[in-house]
Amino acid sequence: MQIQWYPGHMHKASKELKQILPSIDLIIEVLDARIPFSSQNPMLASIRGDKPCIKILNKDDLADEKTTQQWQDYLDQQKGIKTLAVNMSHPDRIKQLTALCHKMVVDKKESDRPLNAVIMGIPNVGKSTIINILAGRAIAKTGNEPAVTKGQQRIALKSHNILLFDTPGMLWGNIENRNSGYRLAATGAIKDTAIDIDDIGFFTADYLIQTYPQMIMERYQLENTPRTELELLEALGRKRGCLRSGGVVDLVKASKILLTELRAGILGKITLETPKIMEQELKQTAIIIAKKEAKKSAKKIGKK
Ligand code: G4P
C-alpha cells in the first residue's frame, strides 16, 4: 500500500496552529465517528497544551452506536476534552456545540470579546457541513472530493459571540500505523486512486468478519460466516456477478462493492476501530519508531 502523507503539509499545518494558538480559547477537532483514532491529528495532544478541546464525532449516523459511546467515555475522561457525537441530519445536535464552547472556556467569562475557536479536521470529515449549520448559511464549500476547503478563514458566529478560525482540511494520518491508512481509505478519506482498492477490500473484509459477521451474512445472503477475507470477497463477487473469464472472481470489483456499501452505510452502522485497538496499535507504533530511531543512531555512530 502506497499512501502519500505529505509530511511537509502536516508540518506547515502544525506550525500555523502553534502560531495562532496564543489567541485561541478552544480547539474543535472534527473526527469521523467511524475512525476516531485514525482521523485525529496525532500532533494535537502535544501542541494544544492545556487548551480546552471539543472532539466532535461526526457522521455518527454511519457509526456503531455502542462503539461511539465507548469512544465518548474514553475521550471524555481526558483532561480538558469533551466530546459531542453528531450528524448532519440532526442540526440541533450540532448547534449544541456553541453552548459547549462557552461552558468549556471559563476564564473568558468576564470579557465581552468573542470566544476564539479553531476548527480542524481531515478532508471529507464533514467540517464544512458543520460550519454551514452553525453559521446558518453556506460559507464553507462541501463536497465529497477530499481537500475542498482551501485557505484559512474566520467566521463570525455573531449571535453566539464566537469567532471560528477555519483551517484547511489536512490529512495528517498516523504515518507509522499502516492500519490507520487502510481505515482512512475504507471510509473514503483517502482517494480511491491513491491506493490499491483490493488491499483496502481485504483489510475491511477481515475486520468485518471479525467484528460484524452477522451484518455481512445478512447483506450478502451467506449461510456461514466466511473464514477468510478472500472467502468473503469471492462469495460477494459471485453473488454480484463480478466474474472474469473462466469464472474467476474479480476481486477489485468485489472490493469496490464492499467499500461503496460500507461508506454509504448500506451494510449497517459500522465503526472500524475501538479505544482498545488504538491502544494496541499505539504500542506497536511506539516499538516501530523506537526501532527506527535505534537504527538511525547506530548508523550515525557507525559513520563517526
Ligand atoms: P469537509 O469540509 O470536512 O471536507 O467535508 P464536507 O462538509 O464537505 O462533507 C463531506 C461529505 O460528507 C459530504 O458528502 C457531506 O454531505 C458528507 N457528510 C457530512 N456530514 C455528514 C454526516 O453527519 N453524515 C453523513 N452520512 N454524511 C455526512 P458528499 O457526498 O460529498 O456531498 P453531498 O452529497 O452532501 O452533496
Side-chain angles (χ1 to χ4, degrees), residues 58-59 61-62 87-88 124-129 142-144 149:
N58 192 37
K59 304 197 183 184
D61 53 320
L62 300 173
N87 67 69
M88 64 180 186
N124 217 27
V125 74
K127 186 162 63 82
S128 311
T129 307
T142 62
N144 62 356
T149 313

Side-chain angles (χ1 to χ4, degrees), residues 34 61-63 215 219 258-270:
R34 296 166 296 173
D61 53 320
L62 300 173
M215 282 188 193
R219 176 69 195 159
L258 184 71
L259 294 173
T260 305
E261 299 198 343
L262 171 81
R263 289 171 189 166
I266 296 169
L267 293 178
K269 288 170 174 261
I270 286 173

Side-chain angles (χ1 to χ4, degrees), residues 161-172:
N161 203 25
I162 293 177
L163 188 60
L164 205 54
F165 292 63
D166 182 17
T167 57
M170 190 67 65
L171 193 60
W172 13 81

Side-chain angles (χ1 to χ4, degrees), residues 1-159:
M1 180 180 60
Q2 195 58 45
I3 299 176
Q4 188 59 41
W5 287 114
Y6 305 118
H9 291 191
M10 270 157 59
H11 180 69
K12 192 166 167 260
S14 28
K15 213 170 133 192
E16 277 174 13
L17 180 61
K18 277 181 198 157
Q19 269 166 5
I20 58 165
L21 212 57
S23 55
I24 292 294
D25 299 302
L26 173 129
I27 297 163
I28 301 166
E29 185 176 31
V30 187
L31 302 175
D32 186 322
R34 296 166 296 173
I35 48 167
F37 165 48
S38 298
S39 58
Q40 73 176 354
N41 179 343
M43 289 166 292
L44 184 58
S46 59
I47 295 175
R48 87 173 169 96
D50 52 7
K51 293 267 171 190
C53 176
I54 299 176
K55 301 220 179 222
I56 299 183
L57 301 180
N58 192 37
K59 304 197 183 184
D60 79 340
D61 53 320
L62 300 173
D64 182 335
E65 280 161 22
K66 266 207 307 221
T67 319
T68 300
Q69 191 56 56
Q70 270 181 31
W71 274 109
Q72 287 198 267
D73 294 344
Y74 178 86
L75 294 168
D76 282 335
Q77 277 173 22
Q78 295 171 11
K79 195 167 170 265
I81 290 183
K82 285 269 173 286
T83 58
L84 200 62
V86 301
N87 67 69
M88 64 180 186
S89 308
H90 292 94
D92 47 316
R93 272 160 53 191
I94 293 177
K95 286 179 187 160
Q96 288 174 10
L97 178 69
T98 53
L100 184 59
C101 287
H102 283 288
K103 209 170 144 190
M104 287 184 74
V105 181
V106 212
D107 53 357
K108 206 206 116 294
K109 285 255 155 55
E110 305 304 317
S111 142
D112 281 343
R113 70 161 175 86
L115 183 153
N116 292 331
V118 62
I119 185 162
M120 58 172 71
I122 59 167
N124 217 27
V125 74
K127 186 162 63 82
S128 311
T129 307
I130 291 174
I131 293 174
N132 291 342
I133 289 173
L134 293 175
R137 64 203 152 99
I139 291 177
K141 276 188 198 164
T142 62
N144 62 356
E145 275 295 294
V148 283
T149 313
K150 294 206 174 74
Q152 203 184 63
Q153 56 175 341
R154 290 174 198 196
I155 301 136
L157 305 175
K158 281 196 183 124
S159 53

